[in-house]
Amino acid sequence: MEDAGPSLLPDSILYQIFLNLGPVDLLSAGLVCQRWYQVSRDDFLWKELFYRQYQVQRHIYRYPGSDSWYEEFQRLCDSVPCVEVERLQEHTDQVLHISFSRSGELCASCSKDCTVKIWNTRHPITLQHSANMRPHHWNYTQFSQFNSDDTLLLVSGVYVGPHNSCAGEIAVFSLDGFNLLSRVRNKPYDVFGCWLNNTHLISGNLHRMGRVTSCSVLWLNKAFQDVESENLNVVKRLFKIQNLNASTIRMIMVANSPDVLAEAGNKGKEAEQCPPRLPEEKEAVSSEEEESAAEDEQGRDIVEEDAQIAAALQQQGAPQPSLTEEQFETKVAQWYAKYRTRPSDGPQAGEGSEKYLIFTTGSLTYSPHQIGIKQLLPHQMTTEGPVLGEERGPNEFFDCLDHVINIHGHIIGMGLSPDHRYLYVNSRSWPKDCVISNPMYPPPIAEEIELRVFDLKTLREVKEPLRAHRAYTPNNECFFIFLDVSQDFVASGAEDRCGYIWDRHYHACLAHLPHDDVVNSVAFCPVDQELLLSASDDYTIKVWRSRRSLRRPQNLSRPSLWSASYDT
């Protein structure tokens, strides 16, 4: 073969020819002879192929610590969990959520069939436990989370109350025997709930104060009641947060990292409890308002806050004919909050104080369009102490958020990176420069989903949004689509009947995971990112593994060009 005509071509000509080949053809050409093999392994050649194949922007350099572009191409081709190996069909209705235990040995699934199922993830995946929540008056199960030592499982669902009213409820199961230990009310149901530590979980409650004004209360709950401690508290109130314009707190999670907000400064504070003025108010700011701002500090020490609020509103000329009922209610609530909100203590350093609550909220309309952040202090990590939390002053009715991130659109999902440094947010954008005049009528939302990335250390958006997935439901029917983040990848469901996987460093879409209906949730195995599960409205859970994992001895062997080498 060394005497054949093609082998006499200069390396530069071979290089130009190989530039026009795809990865499979290039690898095949490298098997022709030793010289072709050497040219086919040229790193500049694989660099060009990498940027072209994955449509990576040129300013993004090779992954730190990698040795060559060829190895990077091999890693993305070989380690992405994009090969369907199993299909779990034990659910009889839409599967809404899937989650792994911290050890990766178990996973839990929730469904519209009102069951929660526990699976053993050892290949082949087998059903280990199943619990039907209908006897507890649940409508369906929607979310699950294992605690950090995999001894307890939190399951969130929709509870059918008196007169067919719907609220949320959280159930806690022991994984030793799969026994139900406790149940906690959770309102609204899309707060979902989450673990704070091994034995305590966070739930929500909602109190209506008007047509578009409410108060969200976050509670700390002990997961079970010890017999020997039956006289001790099992709940404690953490925070009371005012909601304006029909918004509520939803989708709560805990970030546990000393880097959170370390370099944030005042970024994100401008939106705290201070929504933009109504369109009718933007043209002028009265001198009376400026004078009242100077009196705020003194006003907090006076008992007759209600009289002050009324006087302040009269100075504004309220009620104004130009204000709708909802706008006037919001205006009253804003002034009420000025005199009744406890100021933020600011970031607190020290052991046990690096935990933060992260949740969706809003200030302009009912659709979630902001991310709220609130620090938890060491004394809030346990239910010991007063049930209603630490003592408050007579004017401290509400708690203030530490930081708020504005998302110009409808948030439909969030997920933290494994180190809790980065927050990934699925959102559907609003039209540019839109104005919300009625909180009950939010702007139309885009069909294209944007997966945005925020550095929680600085609260800055660090990259251009990831795109590929789509959704089609309107505002009033929009639902959460769960995403997950591993060391190298991020994955998300979508309404376009596919799950998607991106590389976190290169920002490249690597794989589509097809289903027959909406993909509601995806989850990486926390100890092996080359195993991923996806849950869908098609009643199935699909198991996806990487090509490399299928070549391991315990799995079926599959040939791959990456394992081929030229024998010299």
Side-chain angles (χ1 to χ4, degrees), residues 34-223:
Q34 185 176 2
R35 206 166 145 260
W36 281 30
Y37 174 82
Q38 292 173 348
V39 175
S40 70
R41 290 299 192 271
D42 184 276
D43 207 43
F44 288 104
L45 181 64
W46 282 97
K47 177 182 179 180
E48 292 300 317
L49 185 60
F50 188 96
Y51 280 115
R52 185 174 74 233
Q53 179 79 10
Y54 293 111
Q55 299 180 0
V56 176
Q57 297 183 23
R58 292 283 174 167
H59 69 272
I60 300 177
Y61 298 108
R62 200 173 66 206
Y63 187 79
S66 59
D67 294 328
S68 67
W69 285 103
Y70 170 79
E71 290 183 359
E72 278 298 274
F73 204 113
Q74 180 180 4
R75 179 181 68 86
L76 294 192
C77 181
D78 226 18
S79 63
V80 178
C82 58
V83 181
E84 181 186 341
V85 295
E86 293 181 75
R87 190 174 299 188
L88 311 178
Q89 298 177 306
E90 278 78 358
H91 281 292
T92 59
D93 208 329
Q94 300 169 354
V95 188
L96 302 181
H97 188 257
I98 191 81
S99 64
F100 274 98
S101 64
R102 304 306 170 95
S103 67
E105 296 177 356
L106 300 174
C107 66
S109 57
C110 297
S111 169
K112 282 285 186 72
D113 64 14
C114 208
T115 66
V116 54
K117 298 185 186 296
I118 306 296
W119 310 80
N120 188 313
T121 59
R122 182 174 299 176
H123 183 77
I125 293 178
T126 54
L127 181 63
Q128 188 165 308
H129 299 287
S130 181
N132 184 5
M133 300 302 292
R134 290 202 191 278
H136 302 288
H137 306 286
W138 282 29
N139 197 15
Y140 57 87
T141 59
Q142 61 174 353
F143 175 82
S144 65
Q145 187 181 57
F146 292 83
N147 67 345
S148 58
D149 65 2
D150 292 342
T151 58
L152 301 173
L153 177 69
L154 177 155
V155 180
S156 174
V158 176
Y159 173 87
V160 181
H163 310 293
N164 292 322
S165 61
C166 285
E169 190 169 77
I170 295 172
V172 178
F173 288 88
S174 168
L175 292 178
D176 182 13
F178 203 56
N179 300 313
L180 178 61
L181 299 180
S182 62
R183 293 160 59 195
V184 177
R185 290 296 173 90
N186 189 42
K187 185 178 180 179
Y189 58 82
D190 47 7
V191 169
F192 296 122
C194 65
W195 290 106
L196 177 62
N197 52 42
N198 263 336
T199 56
H200 293 81
L201 60 95
I202 296 174
S203 66
N205 201 358
L206 184 68
H207 302 281
R208 294 290 179 187
M209 302 171 62
R211 187 167 183 266
V212 295
T213 309
S214 63
C215 174
S216 287
V217 182
L218 299 180
W219 290 89
L220 181 65
N221 309 266
K222 194 168 184 180

Side-chain angles (χ1 to χ4, degrees), residues 19 56 66 78 258 261 290 299 436 546:
L19 274 177
V56 176
S66 59
D78 226 18
L261 304 183
E290 295 176 0
I436 300 175
S546 67

